[in-house]
Amino acid sequence: MIPKRRYHKTKSPLIYALILAFAGTGMVKTATAIDWTQSRNADKVLGQIDYDTDGSGLSEQNFNYPNSVAICPLTNKVFVCDTGNHRILRFASYEAMFTGAKAEAVFGSSNFVSVNAGTTAQRFADPLGIFVDQEGRLWVCDSTNARVLRFDDAANKSNFPAADGVLGQTLLTTNASPGTPSANSLDSPSACVVESNGTLWVADSSDHRILRYDGAALKSNGGGADGVLGQSMMDTSASGSGTNGVSGPTALAVSNNGTLWVADYGNRRVLRFNSAVSKSNGADADGVLGQTGLFGNGFYGFADNAATTVIGLAWSPVNDTLYVSDNSYNRILIFEFASTKTGLISADTFIGNNVLGSMSAATGQNRSDAPRMMCVDTSNRLWLADTGNNRVLRYSPDSAAASPDIQPDLTVGEKLGKQKGDGIYNSVGAGQKGKVKVIGRKKARLFVIQQNDGRTTNPFILAGSRKNKLFKVKYISLNGLVGNVTGNMLLGTFETADLEPGQTHIMRVDIKATPKAKSRTAKYKGFVRSRDPNASTTELIKTFVKAKPKK
């Protein structure tokens, strides 16, 4: 079984414009020198609003014990297995992702704010490993339900979808784990990967084996496995070691040429099976990392060649790189040209901790707490479930394409077509200013135009200000990108639709003063950030609204 580790535990402007843009894997790609800087910072976080918080939660932007992460290769959408909440959250394309983003859909729950484990076609019980294959199918290791669920076209499913298929059970409403295993059963499946040819591998943790399903998506519910590693037969489940045994396998990774990597948790090692699909049942491994050889399991500790608590694996074609999540030491060991290495081989570098041998867990941009499963996206960036910190981190290697600067621009004015601003993004932060008066009970009217040369997501987010509570505002989209929203400046919440490259969003803002707003001033401040919400450069607009008594 996979051990579970306990996790730890602004005066808002009226218009807050937030802009994000980010810039496949073939066979092994070669980069010059080591492709990672030691202890490098993560460049994106999900589940938290910044890098210094670690609280769990139940919403569209919080996690409780996230265990794994997967990227859809067709859409680049991000899936996070939120184990403690018995659900999977789906986020927009990582190219449009920003720190603290909200999920767009939920699997396993009817909404974003309830927790209900179950054994149905729509619910999970302690989901662990997830994977999205080349056809966009989401595979879920529904651990306590002793099954693997399949969701076809997962990137386009609506909330609370039903699974399209199941392995390990014949029905979508059962969760039996037989005393004697078979080709049709599972017991606490922890991880899965799918090769480009449709072969599914499942780490059947409590049965101490790895099952192979050929053409898995075509199998009927409860279809049997076609091969097994870690056991010589389908009806045995003894924990093993040596050249062909495993003990509680926790994670899997597969390369483009069919090399299968297995996190052999109980034996403190990572096994390598070359051309795994062609192996016979119970075949020997071809290599090992973390031990002197295939017969040992006694080496562990803080050294850079030890794999003390292996919970996660991921593989990248850049330099044939294997990422090993060493949970106890809160670090990710990075082995380049991994398929050529065996034995007690030192990692090339590490991330997730600032000291190689420290067991200290922490928040921060270059730290982690009980890191678990990982995946690599189509830009060869690493995504990590930083479980103890209740977040998912993204790291970019040196060779990853740099995120392109975008060119957002905001203009404002009392009349459409007579805007304050030059229509060009100003990276030094200078902006546009304007003034408008509300006379008596009449309305004042402003027009805000947002333009962008790169993709943006939710570019305007409204947050009320206590100073402005005596004014009410109404937002009207003039080009159909958002519906009308009415709210007061204290409590309002407002988000616009996505902008694709080259699109323009035009909003009319109607401001009306309440009877108590005489001689009161409201300040509107909107800004566009470059690339990331933590970036220092902004484009500003400031509009001052003053209420005057009616003459």
Side-chain angles (χ1 to χ4, degrees):
M1 294 289 291
I2 297 178
K4 291 191 176 181
R5 177 170 174 168
R6 294 185 65 83
Y7 51 82
H8 304 301
K9 312 291 172 253
T10 69
K11 306 173 182 185
S12 304
L14 177 62
I15 301 175
Y16 173 50
L18 180 62
I19 307 296
L20 264 297
F22 304 108
T25 60
M27 297 303 289
V28 172
K29 302 176 183 178
T30 302
T32 58
I34 301 304
D35 201 28
W36 285 90
T37 301
Q38 181 175 303
S39 301
R40 77 176 311 142
N41 287 342
D43 54 33
K44 202 64 57 186
V45 60
L46 296 176
Q48 305 292 342
I49 60 173
D50 55 41
Y51 293 100
D52 299 317
T53 53
D54 65 356
S56 62
L58 179 62
S59 73
E60 63 266 58
Q61 60 187 138
N62 296 112
F63 308 132
N64 178 18
Y65 200 81
N67 192 84
S68 56
V69 57
I71 309 291
C72 175
L74 302 179
T75 64
N76 290 333
K77 291 190 176 184
V78 180
F79 294 78
V80 176
C81 184
D82 187 15
T83 300
N85 287 325
H86 306 286
R87 65 182 186 174
I88 294 166
L89 296 181
R90 188 185 73 217
F91 294 83
S93 165
Y94 69 75
E95 295 171 331
M97 190 71 65
F98 57 89
T99 290
K102 295 180 181 180
E104 64 178 20
V106 59
F107 294 57
S109 180
S110 58
N111 56 59
F112 289 107
V113 294
S114 62
V115 178
N116 297 103
T119 309
T120 68
Q122 293 173 285
R123 296 199 183 277
F124 311 123
D126 299 312
L128 293 177
I130 60 176
F131 190 89
V132 182
D133 66 23
Q134 295 294 317
E135 300 300 322
R137 306 181 191 93
L138 172 67
W139 300 84
V140 180
C141 291
D142 190 12
S143 179
T144 299
N145 282 328
R147 64 187 184 178
V148 173
L149 296 176
R150 188 189 82 244
F151 295 85
D152 299 336
D153 192 22
N156 295 307
K157 296 280 191 188
S158 57
N159 285 345
F160 203 36
D164 295 290
V166 62
L167 297 173
Q169 305 289 330
T170 56
L171 301 174
L172 284 161
T173 54
T174 59
N175 61 1
S177 296
T180 300
S182 71
N184 303 90
S185 69
L186 291 167
D187 191 357
S188 301
S190 60
C192 59
V193 292
V194 182
E195 297 190 53
S196 58
N197 63 3
T199 298
L200 170 71
W201 295 93
V202 177
D204 189 15
S205 185
S206 291
D207 283 333
H208 308 289
R209 63 183 185 174
I210 299 93
L211 294 177
R212 189 191 82 240
Y213 298 84
D214 299 334
L218 301 178
K219 288 185 178 291
S220 58
N221 288 351
D226 298 286
V228 61
L229 297 173
Q231 303 290 333
S232 59
M233 296 180 291
M234 290 286 188
D235 59 355
T236 59
S237 60
S239 174
S241 58
T243 60
N244 58 5
V246 295
S247 178
T250 52
L252 303 171
V254 66
S255 73
N256 290 339
N257 64 2
T259 297
L260 179 69
W261 302 88
V262 177
D264 188 7
Y265 175 85
N267 290 315
R268 306 185 183 97
R269 64 183 184 177
V270 177
L271 296 177
R272 186 185 80 245
F273 294 87
N274 299 337
S275 301
V277 72
S278 64
K279 298 283 189 186
S280 59
N281 289 350
D284 290 348
D286 297 288
V288 63
L289 292 173
Q291 299 294 332
T292 55
L294 286 166
F295 289 96
N297 64 2
F299 188 81
Y300 62 95
F302 64 84
D304 61 3
N305 56 3
T308 301
T309 313
V310 185
I311 298 292
L313 297 174
W315 180 86
S316 169
V318 175
N319 288 355
D320 181 22
T321 301
L322 183 70
Y323 304 94
V324 179
S325 175
D326 190 2
N327 184 272
S328 293
Y329 284 92
N330 303 299
R331 64 188 183 182
I332 308 301
L333 299 175
I334 300 175
F335 297 87
E336 297 195 336
F337 305 105
S339 63
T340 66
K341 298 176 178 179
T342 191
L344 287 177
I345 304 297
S346 294
D348 293 288
T349 189
F350 67 94
I351 57 175
N353 209 326
N354 56 357
V355 178
L356 176 65
S358 172
M359 298 183 76
S360 173
T363 58
Q365 208 165 346
N366 68 345
R367 302 296 299 276
S368 63
D369 182 1
R372 296 178 80 87
M373 297 189 189
M374 303 166 286
C375 74
V376 175
D377 65 27
T378 54
S379 296
N380 293 306
R381 295 182 174 92
L382 181 70
W383 295 73
L384 167 69
D386 185 15
T387 304
N389 285 323
N390 295 295
R391 65 185 184 179
V392 168
L393 297 175
R394 190 193 76 175
Y395 298 88
S396 297
D398 300 339
S399 63
S403 298
D405 284 328
I406 59 173
Q407 299 297 316
D409 179 68
L410 283 173
T411 56
V412 62
E414 295 180 59
K415 294 183 179 180
L416 192 61
K418 294 184 178 181
Q419 305 295 109
K420 300 287 186 179
D422 54 12
I424 301 174
Y425 173 65
N426 190 328
S427 62
V428 298
Q432 287 60 256
K433 296 181 180 181
K435 296 181 180 180
V436 65
K437 294 179 181 179
V438 181
I439 307 298
R441 301 302 302 275
K442 293 183 178 180
K443 297 178 181 178
R445 178 167 292 174
L446 293 171
F447 294 91
V448 177
I449 299 178
Q450 190 269 328
Q451 295 174 302
N452 198 65
D453 295 333
R455 180 183 173 86
T456 67
T457 298
N458 295 335
F460 288 95
I461 299 178
L462 163 67
S465 167
R466 290 186 180 275
K467 293 181 179 180
N468 298 341
K469 64 182 179 181
L470 299 180
F471 294 83
K472 291 193 174 183
V473 292
K474 186 174 183 179
Y475 302 85
I476 300 173
S477 176
L478 299 185
N479 57 345
L481 292 181
V482 67
N484 297 347
V485 177
T486 302
N488 63 53
M489 297 163 70
L490 177 63
L491 302 175
T493 300
F494 172 75
E495 295 183 3
T496 69
D498 289 358
L499 291 186
E500 297 295 337
Q503 280 189 322
T504 297
H505 194 172
I506 305 172
M507 284 197 306
R508 193 182 83 202
V509 184
D510 290 344
I511 306 108
K512 186 175 182 179
T514 67
K516 296 181 180 181
K518 295 179 181 179
S519 300
R520 295 294 298 269
T521 299
K523 295 181 180 179
Y524 291 71
K525 181 188 291 184
F527 57 94
V528 181
R529 290 196 184 276
S530 173
R531 293 180 53 183
D532 188 281
N534 296 318
S536 60
T537 58
T538 60
E539 168 110 333
L540 304 174
I541 56 169
K542 295 181 180 180
T543 302
F544 300 93
V545 181
K546 189 172 184 179
K548 295 180 69 69
K550 184 177 181 181
K551 294 180 180 180

